[in-house]
Amino acid sequence: FFSGKCPRFSRIGRSVKTALSRKWGLKNLVCVFQDHAYPADELMPLTCRGRVRGLEPSRGDVDDALGKFSLTLIDTLDTLVLLNKTTEFEAAVRRVLSDVRLDNDIVVSVFETNIRVLGGLLGGHSMAVMLKEGGQNMQWYQDELLHMAKDLGLRLLPAFNTSSGLPYPRVNLKYGVRGPETRTGTETDTCTACAGTIILEFAALSRFTGDPVFEAHARRALDFLWEKRQRNSNLVGTTINIHSGEWVRRDSGVGAGIDSYYEYLLKAYILLGDDLFLQRFNIHYASIMKYISQPPLLLDVHIHKPLLPARTWMDSLLAFFPGLQVLKGDIRPAIETHEMLYQVTKKHNFLPEAFTTDFRVHWAQHPLRPEFAESTYFLYKATGDPYYLEAGRTILDNLNRFARVPCGFAAMKDVRTGSHEDRMDSFFLAEMFKYLFLLFAEAEDLPFDVEDYVFTTEAHLLPLSLSTTPHSSLISSNRTSEEELDDSNFDWTCPNTRLLFPDPAFPRNLREPIRSAVDKSCPRPAPYRSVNPGMGRPPLRAQDFMANNPEHLELLRRMGVSLIHLKDGRVQLVQHATQAVSAVAAEDGVRFMQEMMELSSQQQKEQLPPRAIQIVSHPFFGRVVLTAGPAQFGTDLSKSSTGVRGFVAVAEPYSGCSEITNAEYIQGHIALLQRGQCMFAEKARHIQKAGAIGGIVIDDNEGSSSDTAPLFQMAGDGRNTDDVTLPLLFLFHKEGNILLEALKEYREVEVLLSDKARDRGVKVELEESASEEVSPLQEEVSPASENTSTAEEVGSPKEEVSPVKEEADLAQPTEERDSEKREEPEGDTDSSSQSVDELLADWREDLEAFQQMEKDEL
């Protein structure tokens, strides 16, 4: 991964370079991709095959990034040069030129295709030109990548054919957006980032080719977004109608749906030298710091009521913002927000896709996003503080310990259990590898000066020399008289960090209270009044409420609270203040909803979190982890420091609903059972009688997956279940099929049942206990207290609720990488004997590397 030496911080440098062994460097991963996935768009690291759109089950909007154009290869071109892999770069360029087609009849995301493919081609072209001018490599190159980039740019242009100039979110690469053969062009909404993250790539394309049409369209889209900002708050919403310009979602933040719009305003000024972009950014930035920034938090607000929070959780994509603040020159809030993110990362091993204001998991996925590493790099460049090298090493260690699998690095399905997705997005190689390498690299490690380039949002390298490239006078922004440049909106210089930090303890003093806040955060319940004078009787307490009690329903009605039964067994409470019998009763209704919210939160804490089934035998060695549902009876795995480890065996009968006939085979093993025909507790009793040490129930509903269905707790049978003393876990069909296929392939498969995955390595150390507590699943509830009606979902305290739900409180933006929340389920594991031997050799080398790292640290 790394080359050269780190003389300034030798201990950290040696440890990091040793831990990332040569065989798991970028060159090896590119080879793995070419051997197992090429020419597919992405690598599926668990099943060692390529992801081809249409051949794998659809993942919804996430798949819009895939266009059958070898996405990962193109996205990684300039990374190869940065890591001094010029031979591999030249071979990759030849392969792109010979194999990649851009005229496929396929609908793709305009946003993703622009930042990943167009940006990748332009970054590759920049590197090819730089190498050719150096006289050593790429002497045959005649701007072929640039010609491909222009071809792709022309295929994206039909998306901009709207009255507003905002692009459609999707385009057919062959047919555009008009006509039935396009299968698109009917959308009306797009996210702000989708429309506002075009200018760098399109302007670079115009200036490289001399064709102004691309930059003109990108500027027009940015002009329209600026005109539609909320004039009082100077904020923009998350989703906008591409025809009318009306805001569809009026919540505003710096995370998913908006993030790279702000990034591209500042970077457009850096790349193109147009002062207008800087003025607009500074106006937006002042509003962000006034309304959204609540150091160290960054919380969404409503654009029309910016003092009113829009939600109580943050998404992981805002992790880029400290890096942008470094470019802006505002270091102090960058340090504070980065420290908060770092502490959340250390608490959960990875930054969860979303987390609450008290730093608990809100969305548990982590698709190996690079934004936190990006900000870590920029802060280190700005401060020179070795603390950020330690932060970088934490990222590297966690990737190696928890995400590395036989064919690469797998996204985390759930950071609480350590389970995997069969997914490695192209941005992992395009961005994560770049920023981590740059964080630790010395000047002599780099083949060129990165200060001569600007990083796009996908970390592609565009030369700053483009600012002096002649371009058409026809390109102009719609600058109105009120937008005349005002020097008060400019901070022309970045800060001198030596003046900002004369005392080395200063940044440490900024970080310390934030570290304590994350460690000690705890929500506090709201007070409740003891008597309700408006109703002449003690108020109804949430803890006493019963959904089937007529008297309680009448009390709810008087308070303006209505109840709706949902199909999944939960109840929905809605308060209408205007429907209460009196103002006092309405106030009591608000208190009841607040108390119900606290009670629901407590109940969610008491629910068992998901469990982990880790395959620890040859050739997996703990690198494949399956998310499992817990049982409300039997062994509590969270109280076991070692878990339960054993070989699996299929019970006969497979249903486990009668006496086990192959007891001699089941004894001392973990029994595999099929769901259905009887209660879960009955299955557990039968395999326990046969001598099993644990059980795994596999769903009989073919195609079911934890990706598309919520995990649930297996309930008892209404009888006392204290007699069940073994652990019982539940797998959906697709996850269970991985286990069955492994058993079919290797005959003997050993697994570890535990509350969360143990460290990946050549062996699983059972005596190592989990180092941190698993955050319980929770459901956010915000009772309505205004005259407008707001529906909120809470679990009835008197109803038996078995589902363990994952949160999805608000609609998520769709047409972008920034909003991915559902991914592809894990598939079957396939490995030849030869590849197994190679993997074992790699893992032994990695183990030696880790042992050496530990010696260095000592």
Side-chain angles (χ1 to χ4, degrees):
F1 201 120
F2 295 109
S3 59
K5 301 178 180 179
C6 285
R8 286 179 297 173
F9 304 102
S10 58
R11 180 178 66 85
I12 297 175
R14 283 200 308 270
S15 298
V16 168
K17 292 178 181 179
T18 304
L20 284 175
S21 74
R22 174 178 51 81
K23 284 184 176 294
W24 277 105
L26 177 68
K27 178 179 178 180
N28 181 260
L29 278 180
V30 171
C31 291
V32 168
F33 174 79
Q34 293 180 353
D35 291 344
H36 296 287
Y38 190 81
D41 284 313
E42 289 180 347
L43 171 69
M44 299 171 67
L46 293 181
T47 51
C48 297
R49 67 176 191 270
R51 184 182 299 283
V52 179
R53 191 169 172 185
L55 299 183
E56 301 293 334
S58 174
R59 300 175 298 171
D61 296 330
V62 178
D63 283 339
D64 288 343
L66 311 181
K68 298 182 179 180
F69 35 36
S70 296
L71 172 63
T72 297
L73 186 63
I74 293 176
D75 215 3
T76 312
L77 288 176
D78 52 6
T79 307
L80 287 165
V81 179
L82 183 69
L83 271 66
N84 228 344
K85 303 295 183 182
T86 53
T87 302
E88 290 80 3
F89 170 74
E90 189 161 350
V93 171
R94 291 185 184 278
R95 183 164 282 191
V96 169
L97 298 180
S98 64
D99 298 348
V100 174
R101 295 188 56 179
L102 299 173
D103 60 349
N104 300 312
D105 180 10
I106 194 168
V107 176
V108 297
S109 162
V110 173
F111 169 82
E112 296 289 358
T113 305
N114 173 67
I115 66 171
R116 298 205 210 184
V117 186
L118 182 57
L121 292 171
L122 292 172
H125 170 70
S126 300
M127 296 294 97
V129 170
M130 182 267 296
L131 291 173
K132 183 177 181 179
E133 291 176 349
Q136 297 296 319
N137 302 92
M138 302 295 293
Q139 296 304 300
W140 55 269
Y141 183 69
Q142 298 293 328
D143 295 344
E144 289 89 347
L145 290 177
L146 180 60
H147 299 324
M148 289 185 68
K150 183 173 183 180
D151 179 27
L152 180 60
L154 292 172
R155 295 180 185 281
L156 295 178
L157 278 185
F160 292 80
N161 189 19
T162 62
S163 57
S164 66
L166 300 180
Y168 283 96
R170 298 175 185 85
V171 66
N172 186 298
L173 289 176
K174 187 172 185 178
Y175 297 112
V177 295
R178 297 293 175 87
E181 69 276 6
T182 67
R183 306 184 303 284
T184 188
T186 59
E187 303 93 338
T188 58
D189 306 334
T190 193
C191 68
T192 302
C194 299
T197 311
I198 305 291
I199 184 65
L200 293 189
E201 292 81 5
F202 269 40
L205 182 58
S206 282
R207 300 191 181 203
F208 273 133
T209 63
D211 188 342
V213 65
F214 305 104
E215 184 172 345
H217 278 290
R219 284 179 177 264
R220 184 185 176 205
L222 278 180
D223 290 342
F224 190 83
L225 289 173
W226 172 254
E227 288 298 319
K228 291 301 177 179
R229 75 191 187 282
Q230 212 290 323
R231 297 304 178 97
N232 293 323
S233 66
N234 279 318
L235 296 173
V236 292
T238 301
T239 309
I240 191 171
N241 185 294
I242 60 176
H243 303 297
S244 67
E246 295 294 321
W247 291 109
V248 178
R249 283 184 54 193
R250 294 177 173 84
D251 50 311
S252 183
V254 296
I258 302 179
D259 50 359
S260 48
Y261 163 69
Y262 294 132
E263 178 186 3
Y264 268 38
L265 281 178
L266 181 56
K267 289 184 176 179
Y269 164 70
I270 296 171
L271 180 67
L272 306 177
D274 189 333
D275 296 342
L276 182 64
F277 292 126
L278 180 59
Q279 174 165 345
R280 290 179 179 179
F281 173 80
N282 283 335
I283 291 171
H284 279 315
Y285 186 77
S287 293
I288 290 170
M289 300 308 292
K290 181 178 181 180
Y291 300 118
I292 295 172
S293 177
Q294 301 179 33
L297 308 180
L298 293 164
L299 294 176
D300 283 19
V301 299
H302 296 277
I303 59 175
H304 297 288
K305 297 180 180 179
L307 298 177
L308 183 63
R311 64 190 189 190
T312 58
W313 48 272
M314 296 165 279
D315 65 76
S316 63
L317 285 150
L318 59 75
F320 90 101
F321 198 67
L324 190 65
Q325 289 179 306
V326 169
L327 290 181
K328 159 68 178 172
D330 201 359
I331 306 294
R332 177 171 184 150
I335 290 174
E336 293 173 332
T337 298
H338 179 276
E339 180 62 21
M340 178 270 292
L341 295 168
Y342 185 30
Q343 295 305 318
V344 173
T345 297
K346 291 202 291 187
K347 189 172 185 177
H348 302 293
N349 294 326
F350 296 97
L351 200 60
E353 198 72 328
F355 52 94
T356 62
T357 53
D358 57 353
F359 313 114
R360 292 179 294 180
V361 173
H362 187 69
W363 289 327
Q365 305 98 320
H366 174 74
L368 306 183
R369 292 199 186 278
E371 285 77 14
F372 179 64
E374 173 185 357
S375 288
T376 302
Y377 162 67
F378 280 112
L379 268 169
Y380 177 66
K381 290 290 289 184
T383 65
D385 190 340
Y387 179 82
Y388 297 108
L389 296 179
E390 295 284 357
R393 185 168 64 177
T394 298
I395 299 171
L396 289 168
D397 287 346
N398 288 342
L399 285 171
N400 274 306
R401 291 173 61 196
F402 302 114
R404 194 170 63 195
V405 294
C407 284
F409 291 82
M412 307 305 296
K413 180 182 292 185
D414 193 316
V415 298
R416 294 163 298 194
T417 64
S419 57
H420 290 133
E421 297 273 3
D422 197 4
R423 165 186 183 186
M424 191 179 82
D425 290 84
S426 66
F427 54 72
F428 179 71
L429 297 181
E431 297 183 73
M432 182 74 85
F433 266 51
K434 272 198 189 82
Y435 289 124
L436 290 179
F437 177 75
L438 286 169
L439 176 62
F440 293 98
E442 300 291 347
E444 60 267 24
D445 297 331
L446 302 175
F448 58 91
D449 187 356
V450 295
E451 302 296 337
D452 293 335
Y453 296 82
V454 66
F455 290 103
T456 70
T457 195
E458 190 75 4
H460 292 305
L461 294 155
L462 298 178
L464 294 176
S465 58
L466 289 174
S467 63
T468 62
T469 302
H471 58 286
S472 172
S473 60
L474 296 177
I475 299 176
S476 63
S477 294
N478 298 327
R479 184 178 298 175
T480 62
S481 58
E482 66 177 290
E483 286 187 76
E484 289 303 316
L485 295 180
D486 179 357
D487 281 347
S488 66
N489 286 320
F490 291 87
D491 179 8
W492 292 104
T493 61
C494 289
N496 184 326
T497 57
R498 300 183 70 176
L499 296 178
L500 267 180
F501 305 117
D503 179 5
F506 179 64
R508 183 170 65 250
N509 293 336
L510 292 179
R511 293 191 290 259
E512 190 60 39
I514 297 170
R515 183 181 301 116
S516 300
V518 176
D519 290 340
K520 300 176 182 178
S521 60
C522 182
R524 298 180 179 179
Y528 198 96
R529 188 173 44 155
S530 60
V531 178
N532 185 344
M535 299 178 68
R537 69 184 78 178
L540 176 63
R541 304 296 299 271
Q543 64 188 39
D544 300 324
F545 172 67
M546 296 181 65
N548 57 355
N549 187 317
E551 182 179 355
H552 290 180
L553 296 178
E554 173 61 19
L555 291 175
L556 289 186
R557 186 193 65 79
R558 294 176 63 83
M559 293 187 295
V561 179
S562 57
L563 180 146
I564 303 171
H565 288 273
L566 301 177
K567 293 181 179 180
D568 59 10
R570 295 176 299 162
V571 294
Q572 186 179 67
L573 296 178
V574 185
Q575 195 213 13
H576 306 270
T578 57
Q579 296 181 10
V581 297
S582 67
V584 175
E587 184 180 348
D588 288 328
V590 172
R591 291 194 180 95
F592 174 83
M593 295 285 279
Q594 290 173 337
E595 191 176 67
M596 182 62 78
M597 176 183 68
E598 295 298 331
L599 182 60
S600 176
S601 177
Q602 293 172 12
Q603 290 177 335
Q604 291 291 342
K605 291 180 185 178
E606 294 168 0
Q607 285 187 350
L608 298 175
R611 304 303 189 201
I613 297 176
Q614 193 168 7
I615 307 178
V616 298
S617 57
H618 168 89
F620 306 99
F621 300 107
R623 298 180 184 273
V624 174
V625 183
L626 308 174
T627 300
Q632 296 174 344
F633 53 86
T635 301
D636 185 354
L637 292 171
S638 66
K639 297 179 180 178
S640 171
S641 62
T642 61
V644 174
R645 179 170 179 166
F647 289 91
V648 298
V650 178
E652 295 179 4
Y654 190 24
S655 67
C657 292
S658 60
E659 186 173 348
I660 303 301
T661 59
N662 61 337
E664 72 285 352
Y665 187 50
I666 293 298
Q667 185 174 8
H669 287 68
I670 295 174
L672 300 183
L673 306 157
Q674 187 176 48
R675 182 185 183 184
Q677 301 182 33
C678 64
M679 304 294 286
F680 293 117
E682 185 176 349
K683 298 175 188 286
R685 290 188 179 99
H686 283 137
I687 62 171
Q688 181 173 291
K689 183 179 178 181
I693 60 174
I696 300 173
V697 179
I698 298 175
D699 195 7
D700 59 346
N701 181 19
E702 187 171 353
S704 66
S705 169
S706 60
D707 290 324
T708 56
L711 291 175
F712 62 91
Q713 302 182 51
M714 293 182 287
D717 54 4
R719 299 157 50 192
N720 188 315
T721 55
D722 291 344
D723 59 315
V724 179
T725 58
L726 52 69
L728 191 70
L729 298 182
F730 177 88
L731 287 177
F732 282 107
H733 184 269
K734 286 195 174 181
E735 286 79 5
N737 198 49
I738 292 177
L739 200 54
L740 292 173
E741 288 295 322
L743 186 61
K744 180 180 178 182
E745 177 86 13
Y746 300 105
R747 296 177 179 264
E748 290 189 347
V749 173
E750 190 177 15
V751 301
L752 172 67
L753 312 183
S754 60
D755 62 332
K756 63 185 300 183
R758 303 306 198 252
D759 282 359
R760 279 70 161 163
V762 174
K763 60 178 180 178
V764 176
E765 301 292 347
L766 292 183
E767 58 272 9
E768 176 185 336
S769 60
S771 61
E772 63 183 80
E773 216 173 60
V774 177
S775 298
L777 290 169
Q778 57 215 279
E779 209 163 18
E780 180 181 292
V781 180
S782 302
S785 59
E786 299 187 24
N787 292 336
T788 57
S789 62
T790 304
E792 305 294 344
E793 298 177 5
V794 298
S796 167
K798 296 299 182 182
E799 283 190 304
E800 181 179 351
V801 181
S802 58
V804 178
K805 297 290 181 181
E806 289 198 18
E807 303 83 347
D809 300 87
L810 298 178
Q812 304 161 27
T814 54
E815 296 82 23
E816 38 159 349
R817 178 184 83 219
D818 300 356
S819 57
E820 305 161 5
K821 304 300 176 192
R822 291 291 181 188
E823 294 86 22
E824 172 68 12
E826 298 168 342
D828 304 335
T829 301
D830 183 21
S831 177
S832 67
S833 58
Q834 181 180 2
S835 62
V836 168
D837 293 338
E838 292 172 353
L839 290 173
L840 285 173
D842 288 349
W843 293 336
R844 290 191 189 99
E845 183 176 341
D846 293 337
L847 180 62
E848 294 171 0
F850 279 117
Q851 291 171 341
Q852 182 62 45
M853 180 183 69
E854 292 173 355
K855 292 178 181 178
D856 289 346
E857 290 172 346
L858 292 174

